mmCIF file of all heavy atoms in Angstrom:
data_model
loop_
_atom_site.group_PDB
_atom_site.id
_atom_site.type_symbol
_atom_site.label_atom_id
_atom_site.label_comp_id
_atom_site.label_asym_id
_atom_site.label_seq_id
_atom_site.Cartn_x
_atom_site.Cartn_y
_atom_site.Cartn_z
ATOM 1 N N ILE A 1 -0.401 13.168 0.190
ATOM 2 C CA ILE A 1 -0.548 14.587 -0.171
ATOM 3 C C ILE A 1 0.026 14.884 -1.515
ATOM 4 O O ILE A 1 1.102 14.453 -1.881
ATOM 5 C CB ILE A 1 0.052 15.468 0.935
ATOM 6 C CG1 ILE A 1 -0.619 15.283 2.259
ATOM 7 C CG2 ILE A 1 0.055 16.862 0.439
ATOM 8 C CD1 ILE A 1 0.163 15.916 3.391
ATOM 9 N N ALA A 2 -0.709 15.660 -2.352
ATOM 10 C CA ALA A 2 -0.207 16.065 -3.725
ATOM 11 C C ALA A 2 -0.464 17.648 -3.734
ATOM 12 O O ALA A 2 -1.456 18.099 -4.311
ATOM 13 C CB ALA A 2 -0.954 15.341 -4.818
ATOM 14 N N ASN A 3 0.499 18.397 -3.256
ATOM 15 C CA ASN A 3 0.327 19.852 -3.075
ATOM 16 C C ASN A 3 1.248 20.631 -4.004
ATOM 17 O O ASN A 3 2.295 20.083 -4.432
ATOM 18 C CB ASN A 3 0.664 20.283 -1.615
ATOM 19 C CG ASN A 3 -0.377 19.848 -0.679
ATOM 20 O OD1 ASN A 3 -1.441 19.352 -1.016
ATOM 21 N ND2 ASN A 3 -0.045 19.895 0.637
ATOM 22 N N ALA A 4 0.763 21.874 -4.328
ATOM 23 C CA ALA A 4 1.658 22.769 -5.066
ATOM 24 C C ALA A 4 1.524 24.175 -4.456
ATOM 25 O O ALA A 4 0.595 24.424 -3.729
ATOM 26 C CB ALA A 4 1.065 22.836 -6.576
ATOM 27 N N GLU A 5 2.475 25.014 -4.801
ATOM 28 C CA GLU A 5 2.592 26.397 -4.229
ATOM 29 C C GLU A 5 1.816 27.278 -5.148
ATOM 30 O O GLU A 5 0.733 27.842 -4.861
ATOM 31 C CB GLU A 5 4.033 26.834 -4.104
ATOM 32 C CG GLU A 5 4.201 28.223 -3.600
ATOM 33 C CD GLU A 5 3.767 28.398 -2.091
ATOM 34 O OE1 GLU A 5 3.718 27.451 -1.400
ATOM 35 O OE2 GLU A 5 3.524 29.572 -1.779
ATOM 36 N N GLY A 6 2.283 27.485 -6.340
ATOM 37 C CA GLY A 6 1.588 28.511 -7.248
ATOM 38 C C GLY A 6 0.821 27.785 -8.415
ATOM 39 O O GLY A 6 -0.098 28.400 -8.921
ATOM 40 N N GLY A 7 1.207 26.609 -8.771
ATOM 41 C CA GLY A 7 0.421 25.896 -9.820
ATOM 42 C C GLY A 7 -0.776 25.133 -9.177
ATOM 43 O O GLY A 7 -1.058 25.319 -8.052
ATOM 44 N N ASN A 8 -1.367 24.371 -10.028
ATOM 45 C CA ASN A 8 -2.494 23.558 -9.418
ATOM 46 C C ASN A 8 -1.960 22.364 -8.717
ATOM 47 O O ASN A 8 -0.973 21.768 -8.956
ATOM 48 C CB ASN A 8 -3.304 23.003 -10.666
ATOM 49 C CG ASN A 8 -3.905 24.068 -11.492
ATOM 50 O OD1 ASN A 8 -4.200 25.260 -10.999
ATOM 51 N ND2 ASN A 8 -4.132 23.850 -12.845
ATOM 52 N N GLY A 9 -2.791 21.928 -7.773
ATOM 53 C CA GLY A 9 -2.514 20.764 -6.848
ATOM 54 C C GLY A 9 -2.525 19.392 -7.740
ATOM 55 O O GLY A 9 -3.275 19.468 -8.761
ATOM 56 N N GLY A 10 -1.751 18.554 -7.349
ATOM 57 C CA GLY A 10 -1.894 17.252 -8.086
ATOM 58 C C GLY A 10 -3.191 16.531 -7.770
ATOM 59 O O GLY A 10 -3.976 16.918 -6.946
ATOM 60 N N ASN A 11 -3.367 15.417 -8.521
ATOM 61 C CA ASN A 11 -4.551 14.568 -8.214
ATOM 62 C C ASN A 11 -4.160 13.292 -7.531
ATOM 63 O O ASN A 11 -3.030 12.770 -7.733
ATOM 64 C CB ASN A 11 -5.230 14.252 -9.599
ATOM 65 C CG ASN A 11 -5.738 15.474 -10.332
ATOM 66 O OD1 ASN A 11 -6.378 16.322 -9.695
ATOM 67 N ND2 ASN A 11 -5.320 15.556 -11.576
ATOM 68 N N ILE A 12 -5.054 12.812 -6.603
ATOM 69 C CA ILE A 12 -4.896 11.578 -5.960
ATOM 70 C C ILE A 12 -5.989 10.676 -6.332
ATOM 71 O O ILE A 12 -7.143 10.969 -6.173
ATOM 72 C CB ILE A 12 -4.868 11.802 -4.411
ATOM 73 C CG1 ILE A 12 -3.742 12.763 -3.997
ATOM 74 C CG2 ILE A 12 -4.781 10.515 -3.665
ATOM 75 C CD1 ILE A 12 -3.789 13.130 -2.515
ATOM 76 N N ASN A 13 -5.537 9.424 -6.846
ATOM 77 C CA ASN A 13 -6.517 8.423 -7.163
ATOM 78 C C ASN A 13 -6.199 7.144 -6.385
ATOM 79 O O ASN A 13 -5.141 6.583 -6.534
ATOM 80 C CB ASN A 13 -6.436 8.061 -8.717
ATOM 81 C CG ASN A 13 -6.865 9.251 -9.556
ATOM 82 O OD1 ASN A 13 -8.019 9.685 -9.418
ATOM 83 N ND2 ASN A 13 -5.926 9.827 -10.275
ATOM 84 N N LEU A 14 -7.182 6.751 -5.513
ATOM 85 C CA LEU A 14 -7.021 5.601 -4.655
ATOM 86 C C LEU A 14 -7.970 4.529 -5.107
ATOM 87 O O LEU A 14 -9.196 4.795 -5.164
ATOM 88 C CB LEU A 14 -7.189 5.896 -3.234
ATOM 89 C CG LEU A 14 -6.311 7.028 -2.665
ATOM 90 C CD1 LEU A 14 -6.627 7.246 -1.204
ATOM 91 C CD2 LEU A 14 -4.858 6.728 -2.824
ATOM 92 N N ASN A 15 -7.567 3.434 -5.472
ATOM 93 C CA ASN A 15 -8.474 2.282 -5.878
ATOM 94 C C ASN A 15 -8.120 1.059 -5.015
ATOM 95 O O ASN A 15 -7.118 0.511 -5.140
ATOM 96 C CB ASN A 15 -8.182 1.895 -7.384
ATOM 97 C CG ASN A 15 -9.218 0.883 -7.902
ATOM 98 O OD1 ASN A 15 -10.015 0.330 -7.129
ATOM 99 N ND2 ASN A 15 -9.131 0.650 -9.162
ATOM 100 N N THR A 16 -9.063 0.733 -4.059
ATOM 101 C CA THR A 16 -8.807 -0.254 -3.034
ATOM 102 C C THR A 16 -10.038 -0.929 -2.686
ATOM 103 O O THR A 16 -11.132 -0.346 -2.769
ATOM 104 C CB THR A 16 -8.088 0.341 -1.894
ATOM 105 O OG1 THR A 16 -7.883 -0.700 -0.934
ATOM 106 C CG2 THR A 16 -8.947 1.424 -1.224
ATOM 107 N N GLN A 17 -9.923 -2.224 -2.252
ATOM 108 C CA GLN A 17 -11.124 -2.971 -1.789
ATOM 109 C C GLN A 17 -11.402 -2.599 -0.303
ATOM 110 O O GLN A 17 -12.475 -2.786 0.136
ATOM 111 C CB GLN A 17 -10.873 -4.476 -1.889
ATOM 112 C CG GLN A 17 -10.893 -4.877 -3.384
ATOM 113 C CD GLN A 17 -10.520 -6.342 -3.497
ATOM 114 O OE1 GLN A 17 -10.480 -7.165 -2.596
ATOM 115 N NE2 GLN A 17 -10.352 -6.719 -4.749
ATOM 116 N N ALA A 18 -10.322 -2.080 0.439
ATOM 117 C CA ALA A 18 -10.487 -1.729 1.792
ATOM 118 C C ALA A 18 -9.631 -0.619 2.147
ATOM 119 O O ALA A 18 -8.444 -0.728 2.168
ATOM 120 C CB ALA A 18 -10.256 -2.929 2.693
ATOM 121 N N LEU A 19 -10.209 0.533 2.484
ATOM 122 C CA LEU A 19 -9.452 1.772 2.912
ATOM 123 C C LEU A 19 -9.702 1.912 4.379
ATOM 124 O O LEU A 19 -10.859 2.087 4.807
ATOM 125 C CB LEU A 19 -9.921 3.028 2.210
ATOM 126 C CG LEU A 19 -9.279 4.342 2.664
ATOM 127 C CD1 LEU A 19 -7.851 4.279 2.627
ATOM 128 C CD2 LEU A 19 -9.892 5.509 1.930
ATOM 129 N N ILE A 20 -8.673 1.718 5.192
ATOM 130 C CA ILE A 20 -8.815 1.893 6.625
ATOM 131 C C ILE A 20 -7.909 3.076 6.984
ATOM 132 O O ILE A 20 -6.688 3.122 6.793
ATOM 133 C CB ILE A 20 -8.280 0.654 7.383
ATOM 134 C CG1 ILE A 20 -9.081 -0.602 6.877
ATOM 135 C CG2 ILE A 20 -8.342 0.789 8.830
ATOM 136 C CD1 ILE A 20 -8.490 -1.889 7.271
ATOM 137 N N GLN A 21 -8.616 4.154 7.596
ATOM 138 C CA GLN A 21 -7.888 5.394 7.876
ATOM 139 C C GLN A 21 -8.204 5.773 9.314
ATOM 140 O O GLN A 21 -9.341 5.668 9.817
ATOM 141 C CB GLN A 21 -8.449 6.528 6.901
ATOM 142 C CG GLN A 21 -7.745 7.865 7.219
ATOM 143 C CD GLN A 21 -8.256 8.873 6.229
ATOM 144 O OE1 GLN A 21 -8.999 8.692 5.393
ATOM 145 N NE2 GLN A 21 -7.651 10.065 6.388
ATOM 146 N N SER A 22 -7.130 6.114 10.127
ATOM 147 C CA SER A 22 -7.381 6.547 11.473
ATOM 148 C C SER A 22 -8.188 7.813 11.394
ATOM 149 O O SER A 22 -8.054 8.642 10.567
ATOM 150 C CB SER A 22 -6.061 6.734 12.191
ATOM 151 O OG SER A 22 -5.235 7.743 11.513
ATOM 152 N N VAL A 23 -9.116 7.948 12.497
ATOM 153 C CA VAL A 23 -10.050 9.071 12.591
ATOM 154 C C VAL A 23 -9.264 10.386 12.634
ATOM 155 O O VAL A 23 -9.673 11.357 11.979
ATOM 156 C CB VAL A 23 -10.986 8.866 13.678
ATOM 157 C CG1 VAL A 23 -11.884 10.068 13.903
ATOM 158 C CG2 VAL A 23 -11.772 7.613 13.540
ATOM 159 N N SER A 24 -8.218 10.422 13.449
ATOM 160 C CA SER A 24 -7.518 11.702 13.532
ATOM 161 C C SER A 24 -6.026 11.384 13.264
ATOM 162 O O SER A 24 -5.554 10.311 13.370
ATOM 163 C CB SER A 24 -7.596 12.202 14.919
ATOM 164 O OG SER A 24 -7.048 11.359 15.889
ATOM 165 N N GLY A 25 -5.316 12.446 12.872
ATOM 166 C CA GLY A 25 -3.888 12.236 12.628
ATOM 167 C C GLY A 25 -3.508 11.868 11.181
ATOM 168 O O GLY A 25 -2.319 11.634 10.924
#
């Protein structure tokens, strides 16, 4: 997570050969 309150949110850059993410949670 890259969050902000009043300013702009941060950027997230993911560079991977395999991203495995649980469906929920």
